[in-house]
Amino acid sequence: MKKIFSLMLLLATVSFLSSCSKDDDNEDSNGSVSITVNGKSFYTESAPTISKGSNSLYFEASLIEDGVDYLTMYDLGIRTNVTEVKANQELNVSVELYQEYTDIGNAYSYNTVSGKVIVEATDGNSITLKYDNFVFNRKYKNSEMKYTVNGTIKYQYN
């Protein structure tokens, strides 16, 4: 009986030590880890989502900077005035949200400056967007910040 208990304890220990690491949680099933904002690498906290409106699509992703504490998560939300997209289509988008997770209640305004957002791939369940030097400004009262987004994110329909 003592041998069986020891063997069970050893199996439990091996199972615990071989559980997934933080890097395993950020594979393509949760979106892309190849996104940068102002040159800093980010990964998606959970599966980025697409919400379909009556005449628009809204894309939202929660981004966490690589190597930085969880509390520095940002939400990025963009809207395009189309409901159907196809691969290689360039989207005309507006930024509706880019704020730190703890910024709830701040009244930011946004304006797109330059760059492209291109549909890289699409299927019935997801749309992958490529950000190509996509630049926007975020304004709050008298301060204005400029952000440049590059990389890809795979979004899932809600």
Side-chain angles (χ1 to χ4, degrees):
M1 191 63 154
K2 189 175 184 180
K3 285 184 180 181
I4 293 174
F5 178 73
S6 296
L7 184 58
M8 296 289 260
L9 186 59
L10 177 65
L11 284 172
T13 302
V14 169
S15 295
F16 176 75
L17 293 175
S18 65
S19 66
C20 67
S21 68
K22 179 182 173 202
D23 292 339
D24 294 336
D25 294 336
N26 302 309
E27 296 299 321
D28 282 342
S29 63
N30 282 345
S32 172
V33 296
S34 61
I35 194 80
T36 63
V37 178
N38 290 349
K40 296 178 183 178
S41 293
F42 286 81
Y43 64 91
T44 54
E45 191 269 337
S46 58
T49 60
I50 306 166
S51 300
K52 197 170 192 177
S54 59
N55 57 359
S56 67
L57 293 173
Y58 181 71
F59 299 86
E60 186 172 6
S62 295
L63 306 174
I64 299 176
E65 188 176 346
D66 282 338
V68 178
D69 185 10
Y70 184 80
L71 293 177
T72 58
M73 182 168 71
Y74 290 84
D75 287 328
L76 171 63
I78 61 170
R79 183 174 305 277
T80 185
N81 290 328
V82 297
T83 57
E84 301 295 326
V85 297
K86 59 185 179 184
N88 300 316
Q89 179 180 354
E90 184 176 341
L91 299 178
N92 183 12
V93 301
S94 59
V95 176
E96 292 196 0
L97 178 69
Y98 186 73
Q99 63 185 27
E100 199 164 338
Y101 195 61
T102 56
D103 283 350
I104 296 173
N106 286 347
Y108 295 112
S109 62
Y110 307 92
N111 68 309
T112 301
V113 177
S114 63
K116 297 178 183 178
V117 177
I118 301 167
V119 177
E120 192 169 81
T122 184
D123 61 34
N125 300 318
S126 66
I127 298 173
T128 302
L129 297 183
K130 179 179 181 184
Y131 294 84
D132 184 11
N133 286 317
F134 179 69
V135 180
F136 66 93
N137 291 328
R138 178 179 79 174
K139 187 174 183 177
Y140 179 69
K141 295 185 180 179
N142 293 330
S143 68
E144 191 167 322
M145 290 286 299
K146 180 178 174 181
Y147 297 92
T148 303
V149 182
N150 282 291
T152 58
I153 298 177
K154 184 176 183 178
Y155 296 87
Q156 304 291 323
Y157 281 98
N158 274 343

